[in-house]
Amino acid sequence: MTQDDLKRAVAAAALDYLRPKLQNDTVLGIGTGSTADLFIDGLAALRGLFNGAVASSETSARRLRDHEITVYDLNAVNQVDFYIDGADESNRALQLIKGGGAALTREKIVAAVADQFICIADESKLVHTLGAFPLPVEVIPMARSHVARELVKLGGDPVYREGVATDNGNVILDVHNFAIPQPLATEQQINNITGVVANGIFALRPADLLLLGTPEGVRTLRPEH
Ligand code: 5RP
């Protein structure tokens, strides 16, 4: 089975999980990336069973609209019932690294509002300790060098993601060689650097459920503490 097959399987499992829970007023939060894209494509068949969606990126919003799914501004809805998104890494507490697609800030906002966060990922994303994947940090452009120096003080090697502007008009630093044994503390520490908009550690708001694609089938993981 290829990684794409596993992504397809978790996207289908998320649709199976959600289908009986959808109601006329259900609003879904939709993430960004190749796994989220597969979920969006499958969601088209369920269009009539829920109210609409809030997207974590302009790319996902376009894809949803292409499938004639109503896309709301987050400020126009009172609740987001479920947030479905991929991840770059997850540990067993379902604390994540996200932002490989540069959408981390909006992903964090939608996840913060959502009642339930369902992460969908292939088995390569499950790790013991976060940090093998370079940690994305969204930064106000004029603060780029300052933030990079502060990230070096924390022990990482920040690399400017050339040619990338986020949907919010900011830049991304990817922090390499940065093991994250204490995700909660590190998330807060990086948030405290002036000029940081958001960082890709999702520990303050971890996932509630991880659907993990493996060659033996989709595993359902809940946070281990
Ligand atoms: C985008 C993300 C994605 O969820 C993450 O990069 C995983 O992507 P994919 O599903 O393509 O493996 O955080 O900002």
Side-chain angles (χ1 to χ4, degrees), residues 7 32-36 85-88 98-104 107 122 125:
K7 289 181 179 189
T32 300
S34 56
T35 320
D85 197 1
D88 298 302
K98 291 185 45 54
L104 62 150
E107 291 172 343
D122 67 87
K125 308 292 182 66

Side-chain angles (χ1 to χ4, degrees), residues 3 7 31-37 56 83 85-89 97-105 107 119-122 125 133 136 161 202:
Q3 191 181 29
K7 289 181 179 189
T32 300
S34 56
T35 320
D37 280 350
S56 70
Y83 178 54
D85 197 1
D88 298 302
E89 283 185 352
I97 287 184
K98 291 185 45 54
L104 62 150
T105 300
E107 291 172 343
C119 185
I120 49 177
D122 67 87
K125 308 292 182 66
F133 188 91
R161 205 183 289 182
F202 283 56

Side-chain angles (χ1 to χ4, degrees), residues 32-56:
T32 300
S34 56
T35 320
D37 280 350
L38 292 166
F39 176 81
I40 294 170
D41 294 347
L43 191 62
L46 307 185
R47 188 169 48 223
L49 303 180
F50 63 100
N51 179 356
V54 169
S56 70

Side-chain angles (χ1 to χ4, degrees), residues 84-124:
I84 305 94
D85 197 1
D88 298 302
E89 283 185 352
S90 173
N91 64 19
R92 283 304 282 110
L94 307 196
Q95 297 166 320
L96 314 173
I97 287 184
K98 291 185 45 54
L104 62 150
T105 300
R106 294 188 186 197
E107 291 172 343
K108 225 172 219 197
I109 294 168
V110 182
V113 175
D115 290 340
Q116 193 181 28
F117 178 2
I118 302 157
C119 185
I120 49 177
D122 67 87
E123 66 174 358
S124 70

